[in-house]
Amino acid sequence: MVMNSLSRKAFLFFTILTLLLLLAACGDSSDTSSEPTSDPETGAIEENSEANAENTDADTESEQNADGNGHEFNPDKKPITIVAPSAAGSGWDLTARSLDETLKAENLVDFPTQVVNEEGATGAVSLAQLVTEHQGSDERISVTSLPILVNYHMGLSEYDYQDVTMIARLMTEWFVIVVPEESPYQTIEELLTAIEEDPQSVPVGASGDDRLPLQLVFDRFGGDPSSINFISYEGGGEITNGLLNGDVEAALTGVSEFRSQIEAGTLRALAVTSEERLGEVFSDVPTVSEVGIDVVFGNWRGVMGPPEMPEEAVTFWEDTIEAALETETWQDIAAKNQWDITFMKGEEFLEFLEQTDQDIEEGLRKTGQIE
Amino acid sequence: MLADLFANLATGFGQILNWQTLALSFLGVTIGTFTGVLPGIGPITAIALLVPLAFGMDPINGLIMLIGVYYGSMYGGSTTAILVRTPGDIASVVVTLDGYEMAKQGRAGPALATAAIGSFVAGTFSTIALMLLAPTLAKAAYHFGAAEYCALILLALLMVTNLTTGSVLKGLMTTLLGLSIAMVGMDLQSGVSRFTFGMTNLQDGIDFVLAAIAVFAIPEALVQLSKKKNSAKNSMQQIQGSLWMTRSDWRRSIGPYGRGSVLGFLIGVLPGIGPSLASFMSYVLEKRLSKHQDQFGKGAIEGVAGPETANNAGVGGALVPLFALGIPGSATTALLLFIFMMYGLQPGPQMFETNPALLWAIIASMYIGNAMLLFLNLPLVGVFASILKIPTTPLYIGVIVFAVLGVYGLSFNRFDLIVLFILGIVGYFLRKNDFPLAPFVMALVLAPLFEENFRRAMNSANGNLLTFIERPISLSILILIVLVVVFPPVYKYLKNRNNVHMDKKRGGNVHG
């Protein structure tokens, strides 16, 4: 009786809602392996089946799935999750989506992949889940970067890069120090001198975890890094706004964030923290080492897997990522975002991490952020 | 100048008037509407899901579809707020106040209809404003620094108790609860963790979308489900009268549409603030201006029309800094910025010169998309309203299910579900004792914004408090605070005291 009185329309509505939610769940968490009938997913699934066909043609690609011991990675074509440990639209998210996009566009994998955003505590929440809940799994990889090292030393994360399987470094994004168009500071030295004379009057904008490069620069310049009047923002957009409305006198962040403003002339780049000068709009911008400050500091981004990730999975991703970075799709994305492709894997990557980790600990200690 | 504008717009329409683009625009706004309806699932999730599909298309089609999802999702946000007291997003928290009351009185139809029409008015208004004012307004936002943000948010904070109808004291208590819970998490300026008890999961504080769902959906479901069988039948909200708005509904909605559009657009232009503040300010504004003040909180249609309009106008506003400056003001616009860049486009100061064709196509598509949304949403009013014919038990079990799914979808973290139920149960007891919960959520949203901007303003001005008075815009807002918030109660108090005084005198005279 109750069911009869139930409006058909309402029932229809709930069915639609449920379907929609299922669709959302499909894209977001796991099951793309279900029948390729649901609409927006079709494109992706077709692409994957094309990938299948090509892989059987070209045996070089199918060999890629096997490691030295003949174990094959993901023979059941399970969907693989690429975790972005932060909100959609953030730097990690862009990296994860660019990688996902490259894998699909270049037919590098013969299984479905999807990006999932696990935001929280600059990646520490996602890292904790990776370590405690996915140990030994080969079904997910995650984007990671500098904060994994910083968080641990600052006591913001229980886990360290050594608690997971570090797979490869993809790129380095260098930092740039900028001032607004009408600022009196024409060179990095002028800016640093002004900070030295009266740190309070030169507020500097930075994202919470991006202070270190300027602190190191200022330290080598001879100033006291803990005296800089930093104002924290949640990202490049807010910082740009702060520069334009006069809340901060200068700012630093990854080069991609300020690119369009520098191009338009509303912001002026004083220096970059790379080893050599960068291209395009940054070609006239000196490196800090050019002006005698011996600092090279970039935010590397890489890919990690859960602890005790099976060897064939690690090998597969090392090779696939290496191949992905050479494709036109990735080169194109990298150029647009000013990402410097600096691939590294295995021993070399681990040594790099160890060295960077020491540098960061030393940097944090020097700047009084840890004891 | 105006001729140029029409020529540009005509070119824009020329580019999109083909069945493929129109179909994709329709797909975008439809998906947007449904994601808006689902609590917790916002435009950002839907856009992120469609990104791989969009990259297979050319930039115009892809961007038109994704931006369609963005403004489409603003349409549905108030649906569950009106029907089952579950805000789909923060902006519709205030819609629960009068929208749900209207539904309880059998007027779910007019509430949903006014929300849809208000959304359409706002969408169209903000598209026009975006087209005409983007470069000018984006520059004007330069004058809005941390001090101004801080003053504006202070104004909002001081008005939070306007969201209550009952005891002001209880409203203040839940406001304070919201302020204290807002303190949980890592302090952005110093990196110090506060009240996290060493838990990584608490480092980012309590997500306010989660909090809104927790204190509205869960308590409402518990209240409804714990009613006795017999009374449950009585509480079923039958739809009475017309589904459509009456003449008086129209008359009372038109003012809020206009004011909500302007207010929402202007607040939307400010990066980092978001539509929640716009819808909240619009509610307070309508309450103050209305001739039916006593009906607010008891089903005043202005309390639905205004906030819902303001919320939607915010989208056009948020696109201003994105298109004109390349500055994303929110997580959703940051994702859109990334999508532009993936197509090799760089939104920013030069976009109007380097790529006008695309920009005008997008603007043209927003006119058409908004019209599509109106025709999509008006028939849906009847469909959505008939949800209330579902018996209480399955309906509210459904609400809990969707609340859990929505919250889990925020960051795929089970810890969030624990918080959901703890806050939900706390919310249940507060509700049982007539504590208003909207001030709690608004305080939770506003407190971190206030704190961050206050500290930025202080750092920037070298610790000088006078900065708030020395800056003209900030000073104007402070004067407004004095006039609107401080003056009325003081005046009332003085008047009362005078009256008492007079009465005493008079009484004395009589006695004597």
Side-chain angles (χ1 to χ4, degrees):
Chain A
M1 280 310 282
V2 180
M3 281 307 283
N4 286 344
S5 73
L6 222 162
S7 156
R8 212 176 267 174
K9 276 180 183 170
F11 209 80
L12 191 76
F13 166 75
F14 256 92
T15 323
I16 294 172
L17 270 189
T18 316
L19 277 176
L20 209 89
L21 209 88
L22 273 177
L23 194 74
C26 279
D28 257 16
S29 56
S30 56
D31 245 343
T32 337
S33 53
S34 59
E35 260 112 40
T37 42
S38 56
D39 58 60
E41 297 286 334
T42 328
I45 289 164
E46 270 170 11
E47 262 176 52
N48 286 326
S49 45
E50 271 166 39
N52 272 340
E54 274 182 34
N55 275 359
T56 34
D57 288 347
D59 31 14
T60 41
E61 280 200 34
S62 48
E63 261 172 35
Q64 220 184 54
N65 282 22
D67 73 346
N69 305 326
H71 290 295
E72 202 189 339
F73 170 64
N74 200 5
D76 311 329
K77 319 270 179 264
K78 286 176 297 191
I80 301 293
T81 301
I82 303 173
V83 178
S86 56
S90 60
W92 280 330
D93 180 60
L94 308 191
T95 311
R97 284 181 201 283
S98 308
L99 181 63
D100 186 46
E101 172 62 15
T102 308
L103 294 177
K104 284 182 175 131
E106 302 281 349
N107 294 326
L108 289 169
V109 291
D110 56 1
F111 44 81
T113 51
Q114 69 261 313
V115 175
V116 169
N117 296 94
E118 288 183 356
E119 58 178 295
T122 335
V125 169
S126 176
L127 179 64
Q129 291 186 25
L130 190 70
V131 173
T132 56
E133 290 173 24
H134 299 282
Q135 194 173 31
S137 161
D138 60 354
E139 290 177 39
R140 62 171 53 208
I141 53 174
S142 172
V143 172
T144 184
S145 70
L146 196 63
I148 194 180
L149 307 177
V150 180
N151 283 347
Y152 179 73
H153 290 298
M154 301 276 284
L156 300 173
S157 169
E158 253 181 273
Y159 303 101
D160 193 7
Y161 76 97
Q162 284 160 332
D163 293 316
V164 291
T165 311
M166 299 303 284
I167 298 172
R169 183 176 82 175
L170 308 183
M171 60 164 112
T172 305
E173 188 179 13
W174 303 103
F175 290 93
V176 60
I177 298 157
V178 296
V179 292
E181 192 180 4
E182 66 274 14
S183 164
Y185 312 116
Q186 298 294 333
T187 64
I188 182 77
E189 290 109 316
E190 283 176 29
L191 175 70
L192 295 175
T193 313
I195 297 180
E196 202 171 21
E197 278 165 10
D198 184 4
Q200 283 305 312
S201 70
V202 192
V204 181
S207 291
D209 46 356
D210 281 353
R211 296 177 175 186
L212 204 51
L214 186 66
Q215 289 171 325
L216 292 173
V217 166
F218 197 52
D219 180 58
R220 296 284 155 86
F221 183 74
D224 168 15
S226 59
S227 71
I228 304 176
N229 181 9
F230 275 113
I231 301 189
S232 285
Y233 291 89
E234 297 207 38
E238 279 196 2
I239 299 179
T240 311
N241 203 41
L243 280 163
L244 297 179
N245 67 30
D247 281 342
V248 292
E249 296 280 325
L252 88 154
T253 187
V255 286
S256 63
E257 307 258 27
F258 290 146
R259 206 187 129 196
S260 83
Q261 308 294 331
I262 292 170
E263 213 164 9
T266 46
L267 297 182
R268 180 166 61 240
L270 297 185
V272 289
T273 59
S274 52
E275 218 160 344
E276 284 169 18
R277 285 198 181 200
L278 302 171
E280 293 189 49
V281 284
F282 293 95
S283 52
D284 294 334
V285 183
T287 65
V288 284
S289 10
E290 272 178 63
V291 296
I293 301 167
D294 183 26
V295 172
V296 174
F297 198 93
N299 180 6
W300 55 272
R301 290 203 192 122
V303 167
M304 63 185 175
E308 292 160 39
M309 194 183 200
E311 202 180 317
E312 66 272 12
V314 179
T315 319
F316 174 81
W317 285 115
E318 281 177 354
D319 297 344
T320 308
I321 289 168
E322 189 164 15
L325 299 199
E326 278 160 20
T327 63
E328 213 171 294
T329 312
W330 184 273
Q331 304 263 351
D332 204 34
I333 300 171
K336 277 173 206 155
N337 288 294
Q338 295 280 320
W339 291 340
D340 202 354
I341 301 175
T342 51
F343 180 78
M344 227 182 224
K345 65 177 178 185
E347 273 303 302
E348 191 192 9
F349 186 34
L350 286 178
E351 272 165 35
F352 162 79
L353 284 168
E354 211 170 303
Q355 185 56 47
T356 318
D357 196 45
Q358 279 172 19
D359 291 349
I360 282 171
E361 200 182 346
E362 195 192 314
L364 290 172
R365 189 160 286 141
K366 241 184 202 167
T367 55
Q369 294 174 77
I370 53 171
E371 285 174 7
Chain B
M1 162 75 194
L2 210 62
D4 279 356
L5 209 68
F6 281 114
N8 283 332
L9 196 58
T11 330
F13 275 109
Q15 283 177 283
I16 63 161
L17 288 178
N18 58 73
W19 69 268
Q20 197 191 3
T21 309
L22 291 179
L24 286 170
S25 178
F26 185 72
L27 179 71
V29 297
T30 312
I31 293 176
T33 298
F34 283 101
T35 47
V37 170
L38 295 171
I41 297 183
I44 194 158
T45 320
I47 293 175
L49 276 176
L50 289 176
V51 162
L53 184 68
F55 285 154
M57 305 172 187
D58 63 79
I60 288 189
N61 287 341
L63 286 168
I64 282 176
M65 180 180 76
L66 296 178
I67 291 178
V69 175
Y70 181 29
Y71 58 81
S73 71
M74 296 295 153
Y75 270 71
S78 58
T79 306
T80 46
I82 291 170
L83 296 176
V84 286
R85 208 170 180 259
T86 301
D89 50 36
I90 283 295
S92 47
V93 165
V94 289
V95 176
T96 58
L97 298 174
D98 285 279
Y100 183 64
E101 288 303 318
M102 283 181 75
K104 264 176 39 186
Q105 293 158 17
R107 288 171 35 79
L112 290 168
T114 201
I117 293 164
S119 300
F120 170 72
V121 172
T124 307
F125 170 84
S126 68
T127 309
I128 296 173
L130 169 69
M131 184 175 88
L132 295 175
L133 301 174
T136 329
L137 263 187
K139 290 233 167 68
Y142 288 4
H143 300 290
F144 233 82
E148 284 76 21
Y149 277 92
C150 183
L152 183 69
I153 297 158
L154 180 67
L155 171 66
L157 258 177
L158 289 173
M159 294 180 124
V160 161
T161 46
N162 275 282
L163 296 175
T164 64
T165 42
S167 153
V168 175
L169 186 66
K170 283 183 176 173
L172 284 173
M173 286 166 80
T174 48
T175 307
L176 280 178
L177 184 67
L179 291 176
S180 16
I181 291 190
M183 293 302 113
V184 175
M186 192 170 83
D187 166 38
L188 187 66
Q189 294 296 328
S190 65
V192 172
S193 297
R194 299 186 291 206
F195 308 111
T196 59
F197 307 102
M199 289 157 85
T200 309
N201 281 312
L202 283 177
Q203 257 180 47
D204 281 348
I206 307 283
D207 187 292
F208 41 70
V209 177
L210 190 170
I213 296 176
V215 298
F216 282 97
I218 303 289
E220 185 62 26
L222 291 179
V223 166
Q224 296 292 345
L225 293 173
S226 62
K227 276 185 182 158
K228 284 203 186 109
K229 269 271 159 61
N230 298 336
S231 63
K233 207 166 185 187
N234 297 335
S235 82
M236 263 174 63
Q237 303 112 16
Q238 285 305 336
I239 294 151
Q240 291 152 11
S242 170
L243 267 179
W244 192 237
M245 291 159 70
T246 62
R247 189 179 284 239
S248 123
D249 287 340
W250 275 101
R251 219 179 15 240
R252 291 174 59 178
S253 293
I254 285 181
Y257 290 162
R259 289 185 289 270
S261 294
V262 178
L263 187 71
F265 182 78
L266 290 178
I267 293 182
V269 170
L270 300 172
I273 286 211
S276 51
L277 189 68
S279 66
F280 162 61
M281 296 283 259
S282 161
Y283 184 85
V284 174
L285 182 72
E286 294 310 327
K287 191 173 175 182
R288 295 243 161 170
L289 292 178
S290 173
K291 284 178 226 146
H292 313 275
Q293 259 181 34
D294 52 316
Q295 288 179 21
F296 270 79
K298 295 172 193 135
I301 195 163
E302 294 95 329
V304 180
E308 192 50 26
T309 309
N311 167 18
N312 277 59
V315 173
L319 292 177
V320 167
L322 180 70
F323 286 176
L325 299 175
I327 295 179
S330 65
T332 315
T333 42
L335 183 59
L336 288 175
L337 179 67
F338 162 69
I339 294 159
F340 271 95
M341 287 174 71
M342 289 291 274
Y343 281 127
L345 305 160
Q346 180 82 55
Q350 310 104 315
M351 181 125 158
F352 279 92
E353 284 135 46
T354 55
N355 218 323
L358 176 81
L359 214 55
W360 287 103
I362 291 175
I363 289 174
S365 82
M366 288 173 69
Y367 283 108
I368 293 182
N370 269 298
M372 286 180 187
L373 278 164
L374 185 67
F375 289 108
L376 177 72
N377 276 269
L378 284 182
L380 281 177
V381 166
V383 182
F384 286 138
S386 58
I387 288 179
L388 295 182
K389 289 184 188 156
I390 300 173
T392 310
T393 310
L395 177 62
Y396 281 94
I397 288 174
V399 167
I400 294 186
V401 169
F402 280 105
V404 167
L405 287 174
V407 165
Y408 188 62
L410 289 175
S411 56
F412 299 97
N413 188 347
R414 280 192 300 270
F415 182 82
D416 288 349
L417 298 180
I418 300 172
V419 178
L420 172 76
F421 283 107
I422 293 176
L423 273 182
I425 291 164
V426 171
Y428 173 76
F429 286 109
L430 288 175
R431 217 202 108 153
K432 273 272 173 187
N433 293 294
D434 294 322
F435 281 91
L437 290 162
F440 167 77
V441 177
M442 285 320 296
L444 189 59
V445 173
L446 294 173
L449 280 176
F450 178 76
E451 193 200 354
E452 260 167 39
N453 283 296
F454 179 74
R455 292 170 68 179
R456 280 178 197 154
M458 285 293 90
N459 273 357
S460 174
N462 218 338
N464 183 0
L465 271 170
L466 290 176
T467 181
F468 293 107
I469 305 176
E470 284 162 4
R471 301 173 65 125
I473 299 179
S474 158
L475 179 66
S476 319
I477 302 174
L478 289 179
I479 292 174
L480 189 71
I481 292 179
V482 173
L483 289 180
V484 179
V485 186
V486 183
F487 187 64
V490 173
Y491 177 74
K492 212 170 152 188
Y493 172 74
L494 287 178
K495 207 173 141 191
N496 278 348
R497 212 178 63 158
N498 256 350
N499 284 347
V500 172
H501 206 63
M502 296 282 277
D503 287 349
K504 256 189 191 160
K505 244 184 182 172
R506 228 174 273 146
N509 281 343
V510 170
H511 212 72

